[in-house]
Amino acid sequence: MEIPRKADAPLGRSHSQTVAVEQLRRGLRGELVLPTDTAYDQARKVWNGAIDKRPAAIVFCADAGDVVHAVTYARLQGFVVAVRSGGHNVAGLSVCDDGMVIDLSRMKKIVVDPERCIVRAEAGLNLGEFDAATQAYGLATTMGVNGDTGIAGLTLGGGFGKLGRKHGLSCDNLIAAEIVTADGRLLRTSAREHPELFWALRGGGGNFGIVTAFEYRLHPLGPALLVGSVLHAYDHAREVMRFYDKFSRGAPDELSVDAALVTLPSGDRGFSISACYVGAPEAGKPVIEPLMTFGSPVESRLQAVPYLQIQSAADSLFPRGRRYYWKAQFLHEISDAAIDALLDSYAKAPNHWSLLVFQQVGGAIARVPASHSPYANRDAAFDCFPIAIWDDPADDEANMRWARDLWNAVRPFSTGGVYANNLGDEGDERVRDAYGGNYARLAAVKKQYDPTNFFRLNQNIRPE
């Protein structure tokens, strides 16, 4: 029962606090977990094992009514609030010290309308659950690349994955959203209902309230797509990276080509490329063929793979509980100078789990005007970021330093922009880099719907 009235007050007991906590509990259909409960330590964990925060209360919401109740209580009691769905933010912004975590992970209702190619999905769903439900009807929309990621954070930050070049970002396929605002109202937003708020939700992050449900446009897909993958030795990485840059930037919208500098269990380093053709597998063969025949790959594979298997292919690389750190930036191209910097920096990777990732964007994403949604960096060709992965807390500094050093080495070749969903706790200036010319408009929407910055544990946009 040790909940302080103010987030910066020490934990303590009082009769009034006990009464207030019981009022919170009685108003919930879901579950309230407190620091004195046996479930607390498990409940406060998030995906990144490097995050160790101790909230004063965790509210597992059963429905939108619970979210309204929790927001109202937190506002009246003066709590800092963190909002959690999948909990995949690398900086751990979905959990907090001393405040309240409003957790949506048990809100998993999903209804697919195959005739209209529309789905309504509650915010607690992760990508794997969403994809399985839509693929049951031979449909899909753009989602990310890790099945454990929550659809809420992904969509609110933009959302790109293997379907993005063909069908646009997750937020480009959003046609309505239901949101609880800082004053406790439950609103439906769309192009016709609260249109300025709806605009802000399509990439502006969790700044404007807690989205409890999303409505997306779906597209016929699968069940299998053609996937080609090749692995090249590090000695050949320079010429292969030049090829990757040219090949991917000239690829049709149907082709998504990601790549990574990797370290094998043997300790040998390499450059891996994976291409996915979003269309009939037979149509993709001549498109992917140049990738398969270039150079002398150590390994290569070309096969039709079920979409659900493609979407979960990287899950084993990013299990819950390991320690993670990254810094990201966009590139227009991978120049020779950038390649030199990348290869030199990656050679200093602290362990064989460390990655340097290129995630291809462009295509349909780039043909949407930058002002159409808050996601402003539509002219980028690649999202480029080192991912440090480790287990021992004693190795924290070495791994984070390596990622920062690599990021700094590539910084001169970047566009200056960054994907909001790949931001850590990097400060106001870097948040502005994510939104560019859209930032002022977002700040105005923030002032209208959250003038006190109640929702601030996010890639924060301050009220105008």
Side-chain angles (χ1 to χ4, degrees), residues 139-374:
L139 299 169
T141 200
T142 305
M143 286 292 163
V145 295
N146 187 322
D148 195 33
T149 304
I151 68 169
L154 179 88
T155 302
L156 292 173
F160 51 75
K162 293 190 176 354
L163 307 186
R165 288 173 46 79
K166 176 66 173 176
H167 297 302
L169 300 165
S170 303
C171 68
D172 295 335
N173 288 279
L174 187 66
I175 55 180
E178 297 160 29
I179 182 172
V180 176
T181 55
D183 57 4
R185 290 180 294 162
L186 177 61
L187 304 177
R188 177 180 166 85
T189 67
S190 67
R192 290 193 294 266
E193 305 158 287
H194 304 282
E196 195 68 0
L197 177 58
F198 181 63
W199 174 85
L201 295 179
R202 291 180 295 130
N207 279 282
F208 311 99
I210 302 177
V211 175
T212 57
F214 300 85
E215 194 171 304
Y216 299 95
R217 182 182 304 107
L218 298 173
H219 309 275
L221 187 80
L225 304 177
L226 189 67
V227 174
S229 60
V230 292
L231 174 67
H232 290 266
Y234 208 67
D235 289 347
H236 299 151
R238 181 170 280 100
E239 57 264 34
V240 180
M241 291 174 76
R242 289 193 188 109
F243 166 78
Y244 168 70
D245 173 60
K246 182 177 180 180
F247 174 74
S248 58
R249 288 195 291 120
D253 291 358
E254 290 78 9
L255 193 63
S256 174
V257 195
D258 297 334
L261 290 170
V262 300
T263 304
L264 305 178
S266 65
D268 295 330
R269 304 193 193 276
F271 185 60
S272 172
I273 307 175
S274 177
C276 177
Y277 186 82
V278 182
E282 59 273 15
K285 287 184 179 180
V287 179
I288 297 179
E289 186 64 24
L291 173 67
M292 309 305 297
T293 57
F294 180 84
S296 304
V298 176
E299 297 176 6
S300 65
R301 182 176 297 177
L302 181 64
Q303 60 182 336
V305 179
Y307 177 68
L308 293 179
Q309 185 177 327
I310 295 170
Q311 285 292 86
S312 63
D315 289 3
S316 62
L317 297 176
F318 307 108
R320 282 183 175 263
R322 303 202 73 184
R323 304 174 83 81
Y324 299 94
Y325 181 84
W326 63 66
K327 284 176 70 73
Q329 54 199 320
F330 283 121
L331 305 177
H332 288 309
E333 63 177 354
I334 309 171
S335 66
D336 285 352
I339 291 172
D340 289 341
L342 287 163
L343 292 177
D344 179 65
S345 296
Y346 185 74
K348 302 167 187 172
N351 58 58
H352 72 265
W353 299 301
S354 306
L355 302 169
L356 184 284
V357 172
F358 295 101
Q359 193 166 4
Q360 188 190 17
V361 280
I365 297 168
R367 289 194 293 276
V368 176
S371 61
H372 180 72
S373 76

Side-chain angles (χ1 to χ4, degrees), residues 52-65:
D52 183 20
K53 297 181 181 179
R54 302 187 68 85
I58 304 169
V59 179
F60 287 95
C61 298
D63 54 26

Side-chain angles (χ1 to χ4, degrees), residues 93-112:
L93 296 179
S94 60
V95 68
C96 57
D97 285 320
D98 299 327
M100 176 187 287
V101 174
I102 299 179
D103 187 290
L104 310 181
S105 63
R106 299 180 184 178
M107 296 173 57
K108 294 184 180 292
K109 292 179 183 176
I110 182 167
V111 179
V112 179

